[in-house]
Amino acid sequence: MAKRENRQGFVVLGLALRDLWHERILSLNVILALAAIIAPLLIVLGLKEGLINHLRDNLIEDPVNREIRPQTTQDIPENWFEQVRSRDDVAFVVPGILRGASIVRAYGSDGEQSKIVDLLPSGNGDPLLVDNGTDFPAIGEVVISTPLAKGLGFCVNDTPCESALGVEIRLRVTRTSDGQPEFVEQMMQIAGVLGLRGDSLDRIYAPLQFVLDVESYKEGKSVLHRGWPGKQPQPYPSYDGVFILAEETISPIERSELTISTGFSTLKQISHAEFEADYGFSPPEDFQLLKLGVLKTAVQSGSIRQVANKLRGKRVLILPYVNPFEILLEDESRHIATGYTVSEQQAQNFGLPWVDWDGLDLNPAYQSFTKILLTRNSDPQSKISQLAAVQSLDQIVRFPIEIAGKAPGKLALVPINLAGMLRTGVDRRIEYSELGQALLLGRLGFRGYRIYAKTIDDVPAIAESLRADGFQTINKAQQIIGLQQFSAGLDRIFFLVALVGIIGGVAALVASLYAAVQRKQRDISVMRLIGLSPGEVSRFPIYQGLTTALMSTAVACGVLYAVGIVINRALADRLSGDPAVYLKPDLMLVIMLLVLTAAFCSSLFAAFKTTRIEPAEALRDE
Amino acid sequence: MSTIKVMKSFAQPLVDNSNANVDTIVSIKNLVKRRSAGNEVFELHVPKFSIQRGTFVAIVGESGCGKSTLLDMLGLVLKPTSANVFHFKGDAGEGLVDVMDIWRSANERELARLRREHIGYVLQTGGLLPFLTIKKNAQLVSRLKGLRHTDEKINRLAQQLGIAKKNNQYGNHDTNKQSQQDNGISIDIMEKKPAKVSGGQRQRAAILRALASQPDVIIADEPTAAVDKRRAVQIVSIFKQLALSENASVVMVTHDTELVGKTAENNSAIADVTYKFKLEYPAENVTKSICYAVGENNG
């Protein structure tokens, strides 16, 4: 039965096609009418696809369009970069420093001609370099811009400039120290020459660390791992407050004075028991014990001096303190510690225990203050000298410390100088320099950044989120949003044009097929008479509708192709060879299916009409 | 199913169809078709009607007597109002088909199948599909029926009908079979479309199309209305000859008694059986037409 069905179906298809051919002038009419509707649609769609793709490719291709830079110089903490880096839509981020803070003199291949050049930090995967076909600089390497490469004679006529690759370039960093010019020099290997599209200025892209080293040197600091001399900025001590031990009573007026422009904001009298609980000892009972504290911002030695000034003439001991902090030793023991230092004299005068470590000197030798008293007897197995770990911002600082004995109270004790430095590490990064054997003040975050979004479509969102965080940026979001809007606008126009076209096309096809069935009523009744069922003859207009639509689409494609050649030729220069009119094959397929679906729906009315035609009509002639 | 009573009187064996079985293809008893238009009621009564295999049945009457209505019902395109018996029996061992049953169940597909497999049609102006050539028209019905390798047969029939050249490209083999009659028509119209040929040729083509599906019955409605008398006689006589040689019965409606009766040229009538109509007016606005067989044939 199914086989018979098939045969009947093929017979009807054959009849439908033969009838189209028999009435070929009429059929051609309908085909051309539909093609006249479909062709402009295809052209508009092709233009939209072609133009938008071209603009889009252009935007995508040049990494500069994915770049987001700060509009103004800002202090940016280091951990902010981690945050940005972890975003899904960010492909690359590198910190930046103050413009001009890393200017170096680069020497040419002949060793004589030189240029003053700005250094820019770069790194692994920098799209500005990679997407412009250049390697990014590894340690000891730099990428130089084409103008610089030519200006310094690393390459003369070759483009891309390949003769410069692997060649060493001498960089001189200069600074003025005490009125005297000083400089250091560093040889770097040229890993790549960035094309003109990437950078048209004299510029060197170097690993971030090198740029930071140059910046440090120019600020007068030493860069020990490069052997560049200079100062080593040690962390200044800061405190959460002071204890005041007073032999005589401090009046309420005097007390209130202590919180006026001293940096301290709280003052309270505390009990000796309270003091003893923390430290394990307390001053004699006849001493008044005050605690001057801060709410948030730590104070520095200046504040302590001011308090001392206000209490001048009184017999008081001012004992700086820091809030207890955690310290982790190499043997994985965890200790809560605070700082405590008194001179031998003070200890005698105020009845306090004296610990034999540094005083409050400004620059004590490292070993003299990196000591700790633990709350329990140290394990005899434990080394006297261990690495201690303390949190500083988002990082851990590890530094050697000597276990000096047992603390009397429930808190471990370190010299107040060390405690003060570590307290500074809460607000600013501190680090331990093994080369310098010193705790050093880390850099104060960064002054800029270069961010690259994964795709251009991500740029507006990233820029907007940065703006919400208070970072005004320079980016191509406007152009990108413009393109997106342009594309969306074209989509809408196309949709409207398509809608009108489809309505027109469907109406034309419905009318034409219906009229044909009306006209061929007798033929259809003959088909019924000679043995085709209503279901079978109903396929007649459906097949004709589908065939007509298929032919129309084919004609329209031909028109699209021809018009495409003309338009593409006309716009070839502007679009640098990209086609202005272009339809992807899979989109063509979708259109074909849509057209066939529309044709099928259009023929249903006529198909229904055929089922109403009686075979008896054939017998009743004229 | 009750056996169908073979009506001997209608089943005269023919000279050139001596080996044909005497069997009944269509058997009707007490069929009524009622039609009304406004106040006017028309009733066609067919008390007894049958078609024997290999016979030429003529239905003759003036217009308005209901002969076309009867033909429509025989052609399975019009539903009778009622019938005691309306049986159809094709060949191929299909057995009896109760046509009324199919009509009652409104099984259009089954009706289409019966028409396709058992009935051929010759209409007043041919009833050929205009977008197919004569040959394709003939092939269409045989293809619909699922017949294979019929081209040669179609060509032979066409030659006999005088619309294809003998020994021409349609004949795959030169069978040397001569048609019994040379009609003097040597034009080959097989590759032409119906609109391009004359009325007489078109009717011959229609007969070809009807025969091509190797039907049991051919329903012909005034097949020669559009051609002149001389050609009409020729066409009808070759029609009968071919139909009977193909073992098909013919039911032909005509208003022209002479065409199917005895003529000057033919001393025997074309029709083996003739049905006529008698009009009665039992009430105002009611016309009753009774169909009856005339036993004057073959004599």
Side-chain angles (χ1 to χ4, degrees):
Chain A
M1 199 64 201
K3 204 175 164 195
R4 165 150 284 174
E5 267 299 292
N6 258 344
R7 189 178 67 227
Q8 249 66 295
F10 277 121
V11 169
V12 175
L13 176 61
L15 292 177
L17 295 182
R18 279 181 193 282
D19 183 46
L20 279 181
W21 178 244
H22 179 68
E23 296 191 316
R24 47 197 170 274
I25 302 292
L26 267 179
S27 306
L28 192 65
N29 237 338
V30 179
I31 287 169
L32 290 182
L34 288 184
I37 291 167
I38 298 170
L41 284 183
L42 292 186
I43 292 168
V44 173
L45 185 63
L47 257 178
K48 185 189 101 66
E49 290 286 304
L51 273 181
I52 293 293
N53 281 350
H54 167 77
L55 294 174
R56 188 176 197 81
D57 286 350
N58 260 14
L59 277 176
I60 288 170
E61 213 182 287
D62 192 344
V64 114
N65 295 304
R66 293 190 278 132
E67 188 181 274
I68 299 166
R69 286 182 292 131
Q71 210 171 55
T72 52
T73 308
Q74 260 174 304
D75 287 328
I76 301 156
E78 227 177 312
N79 56 1
W80 181 83
F81 288 92
E82 284 312 315
Q83 219 173 294
V84 171
R85 203 167 281 130
S86 65
R87 285 180 69 121
D88 286 339
D89 48 4
V90 169
F92 177 80
V93 56
V94 68
I97 60 170
L98 214 53
R99 276 274 146 110
S102 55
I103 281 176
V104 297
R105 181 173 288 276
Y107 286 87
S109 50
D110 58 358
E112 281 184 20
Q113 47 179 325
S114 67
K115 281 190 163 197
I116 298 285
V117 200
D118 202 5
L119 272 185
L120 282 187
S122 178
N124 192 342
D126 188 346
L128 180 64
L129 306 182
V130 176
D131 290 0
N132 281 311
T134 312
D135 272 345
F136 54 85
I139 292 168
E141 293 180 338
V142 289
V143 168
I144 62 177
S145 64
T146 299
L148 183 66
K150 299 218 176 207
L152 292 180
F154 284 106
C155 51
V156 188
N157 287 322
D158 50 337
T159 311
C161 182
E162 275 175 356
S163 52
L165 298 187
V167 175
E168 292 216 310
I169 182 169
R170 183 155 57 96
L171 303 177
R172 175 178 289 188
V173 192
T174 58
R175 71 179 176 201
T176 309
S177 174
D178 299 330
Q180 293 296 310
E182 291 178 343
F183 70 85
V184 288
E185 286 189 345
Q186 177 80 40
M187 298 302 287
M188 301 290 267
Q189 202 169 44
I190 298 174
V193 177
L194 179 58
L196 275 175
R197 190 181 72 175
D199 204 332
S200 56
L201 301 174
D202 290 343
R203 208 106 68 159
I204 294 179
Y205 291 85
L208 176 63
Q209 188 56 54
F210 180 67
V211 179
L212 296 181
D213 291 346
V214 168
E215 186 195 31
S216 294
Y217 180 79
K218 290 181 88 74
E219 285 172 354
K221 298 174 193 162
S222 65
V223 181
L224 294 175
H225 70 103
R226 293 192 190 276
W228 295 349
K231 284 177 260 174
Q232 289 202 47
Q234 294 206 339
Y236 49 86
S238 53
Y239 311 102
D240 291 306
V242 290
F243 291 110
I244 299 170
L245 275 65
E247 213 167 12
E248 48 196 301
T249 315
I250 297 168
S251 68
I253 295 170
E254 285 168 323
R255 281 191 203 183
S256 61
E257 286 266 305
L258 295 177
T259 53
I260 294 170
S261 61
T262 54
F264 294 100
S265 47
T266 65
L267 174 70
K268 61 174 183 175
Q269 185 151 359
I270 60 164
S271 70
H272 287 65
E274 210 175 317
F275 185 93
E276 190 166 353
D278 281 349
Y279 288 87
F281 53 83
S282 73
E285 283 297 326
D286 49 342
F287 281 91
Q288 195 181 6
L289 201 49
L290 294 178
K291 190 178 186 180
L292 259 180
V294 295
L295 283 177
K296 204 172 168 194
T297 318
V299 292
Q300 295 171 23
S301 45
S303 296
I304 298 175
R305 271 199 302 279
Q306 286 198 3
V307 170
N309 280 340
K310 294 194 179 196
L311 296 173
R312 192 194 300 272
K314 292 186 185 297
R315 214 171 112 77
V316 294
L317 173 64
I318 299 171
L319 200 60
Y321 74 86
V322 298
N323 289 336
F325 59 91
E326 193 179 60
I327 191 161
L328 184 68
L329 292 184
E330 206 177 339
D331 61 11
E332 296 197 340
S333 58
R334 228 168 250 284
H335 305 274
I336 306 298
T338 187
Y340 173 75
T341 302
V342 288
S343 64
E344 204 172 350
Q345 187 64 47
Q346 288 167 333
Q348 270 178 17
N349 292 350
F350 291 89
L352 291 169
W354 177 64
V355 190
D356 182 16
W357 50 35
D358 80 290
L360 287 165
D361 309 339
L362 264 180
N363 282 309
Y366 181 78
Q367 288 80 3
S368 72
F369 71 89
T370 47
K371 297 185 177 180
I372 189 165
L373 295 180
L374 301 179
T375 50
R376 52 182 180 272
N377 283 324
S378 61
D379 186 343
Q381 303 295 320
S382 283
K383 289 184 289 182
I384 297 294
S385 188
Q386 291 199 26
L387 275 183
V390 167
Q391 186 83 20
S392 170
L393 291 184
D394 53 341
Q395 285 182 323
I396 306 281
V397 200
R398 285 173 211 284
F399 54 94
I401 202 165
E402 189 192 313
I403 298 166
K406 186 176 181 301
K410 70 174 182 190
L411 290 178
L413 296 180
V414 298
I416 191 63
N417 225 325
L418 176 61
M421 284 186 187
L422 297 178
R423 173 64 182 83
T424 298
V426 173
D427 299 326
R428 278 195 59 176
R429 207 149 77 74
I430 58 170
E431 54 204 24
Y432 175 71
S433 160
E434 226 164 305
L435 279 173
Q437 292 205 334
L439 281 170
L440 297 180
L441 205 48
R443 49 173 304 113
L444 255 180
F446 296 94
R447 310 303 295 273
Y449 50 83
R450 264 193 306 135
I451 294 174
Y452 290 88
K454 283 229 168 85
T455 73
I456 55 164
D457 292 329
D458 295 324
V459 171
I462 297 172
E464 177 53 34
S465 123
L466 292 184
R467 205 184 60 76
D469 287 348
F471 293 98
Q472 297 296 329
T473 60
I474 297 173
N475 56 65
K476 293 278 166 75
Q478 282 315 309
Q479 284 99 311
I480 291 162
I481 289 172
L483 177 69
Q484 286 169 340
Q485 284 171 345
F486 182 47
S487 174
L490 280 185
D491 279 345
R492 261 199 297 282
I493 291 172
F494 177 75
F495 176 75
L496 286 176
V497 172
L499 192 68
V500 172
I502 287 166
I503 291 172
V506 166
L509 200 54
V510 166
S512 131
L513 290 171
Y514 188 78
V517 168
Q518 195 86 310
R519 213 157 13 91
K520 292 168 196 159
Q521 205 153 342
R522 189 175 149 70
D523 299 336
I524 287 163
S525 70
V526 167
M527 290 185 221
R528 293 274 286 110
L529 186 66
I530 61 175
L532 289 171
S533 68
E536 283 154 5
V537 291
S538 72
R539 299 188 202 174
F540 187 79
I542 294 176
Y543 289 144
Q544 290 199 333
L546 293 178
T547 309
T548 305
L550 213 59
M551 306 273 280
S552 305
T553 314
V555 171
C557 285
V559 173
L560 172 74
Y561 182 72
V563 171
I565 288 174
V566 175
I567 294 181
N568 289 343
R569 206 168 276 167
L571 294 177
D573 292 344
R574 287 178 163 273
L575 301 185
S576 54
D578 285 348
V581 177
Y582 176 69
L583 279 185
K584 277 183 280 185
D586 47 351
L587 191 58
M588 287 297 309
L589 203 69
V590 170
I591 291 169
M592 196 66 114
L593 288 177
L594 282 177
V595 168
L596 288 181
T597 309
F600 177 76
C601 296
S602 307
S603 59
L604 287 180
F605 193 40
F608 176 73
K609 169 79 179 164
T610 61
T611 64
R612 301 280 117 189
I613 295 174
E614 292 294 330
E617 290 170 38
L619 285 166
R620 295 289 68 78
D621 215 10
E622 285 98 87
Chain B
M1 277 277 133
S2 61
T3 51
I4 294 167
K5 207 195 242 172
V6 176
M7 305 172 89
K8 297 260 185 207
S9 60
F10 298 150
Q12 308 285 345
L14 292 158
V15 185
D16 54 347
N17 195 22
S18 51
N19 60 347
N21 295 326
V22 177
D23 62 342
T24 307
I25 297 168
V26 174
S27 168
I28 288 172
K29 270 183 195 166
N30 296 328
L31 180 147
V32 177
K33 176 70 189 177
R34 189 172 294 108
R35 274 177 170 164
S36 53
N39 289 335
E40 296 291 327
V41 175
F42 175 84
E43 279 184 7
L44 171 65
H45 289 254
V46 186
K48 239 179 203 177
F49 186 97
S50 66
I51 303 169
Q52 310 298 325
R53 183 170 298 281
T55 60
F56 194 107
V57 178
I59 299 173
V60 184
E62 298 303 315
S63 59
C65 70
K67 57 186 192 298
S68 292
T69 305
L70 176 57
L71 196 70
D72 284 357
M73 291 187 285
L74 293 173
L76 304 183
V77 295
L78 184 67
K79 183 183 179 181
T81 308
S82 67
N84 287 0
V85 173
F86 189 167
H87 290 158
F88 188 96
K89 183 176 183 297
D91 59 358
E94 200 177 344
L96 270 182
V97 175
D98 188 335
V99 176
M100 286 309 287
D101 251 7
I102 301 174
W103 274 118
R104 274 192 288 269
S105 60
N107 191 343
E108 287 279 355
R109 292 171 65 91
E110 180 62 9
L111 287 168
R113 188 188 69 77
L114 288 173
R115 291 199 296 270
R116 185 165 68 220
E117 308 216 330
H118 300 293
I119 305 178
Y121 298 88
V122 182
L123 309 185
Q124 277 184 31
T125 51
L128 298 166
L129 290 172
F131 48 86
L132 298 180
T133 60
I134 305 293
K135 187 184 175 192
K136 293 279 181 202
N137 261 293
Q139 286 172 337
L140 172 63
V141 288
S142 65
R143 272 186 71 194
L144 280 178
K145 192 174 173 181
L147 302 176
R148 285 159 189 266
H149 314 300
T150 55
D151 283 10
E152 198 183 321
K153 178 170 187 162
I154 288 171
N155 189 44
R156 182 170 52 76
L157 290 168
Q159 286 173 11
Q160 289 170 331
L161 282 162
I163 52 175
K165 271 186 191 165
K166 287 168 190 165
N167 305 330
N168 62 14
Q169 72 263 33
Y170 305 113
N172 293 330
H173 315 286
D174 189 358
T175 54
N176 271 336
K177 269 189 196 166
Q178 296 289 318
S179 67
Q180 290 89 330
Q181 265 176 292
D182 188 351
N183 294 293
I185 299 165
S186 56
I187 305 160
D188 195 317
I189 59 165
M190 292 298 278
E191 294 299 335
K192 291 190 172 170
K193 287 184 179 163
K196 301 281 185 190
V197 304
S198 73
Q201 288 169 330
R202 191 153 57 229
Q203 290 314 100
R204 288 165 191 265
I207 293 165
L208 171 66
R209 200 263 309 266
L211 288 166
S213 69
Q214 301 171 19
D216 294 301
V217 183
I218 297 172
I219 303 284
D221 187 13
E222 305 265 15
T224 55
V227 296
D228 61 64
K229 188 85 178 197
R230 195 176 60 85
R231 283 185 205 283
V233 172
Q234 273 182 4
I235 289 171
V236 170
S237 100
I238 188 162
F239 182 17
K240 174 177 177 179
Q241 194 186 342
L242 286 176
L244 300 191
S245 74
E246 294 296 319
N247 208 18
S249 306
V250 175
V251 181
M252 188 175 107
V253 157
T254 180
H255 63 275
D256 188 348
T257 319
E258 285 178 34
L259 191 62
V260 291
K262 271 186 204 167
T263 58
E265 298 111 68
N266 288 340
N267 54 7
S268 68
I270 294 271
D272 298 311
V273 185
T274 301
Y275 284 93
K276 290 191 172 178
F277 298 87
K278 188 171 76 185
L279 293 182
E280 290 176 2
Y281 302 94
E284 205 185 338
N285 299 332
V286 177
T287 307
K288 185 176 175 185
S289 176
I290 302 160
C291 178
Y292 64 98
V294 185
E296 61 175 41
N297 302 296
N298 212 22

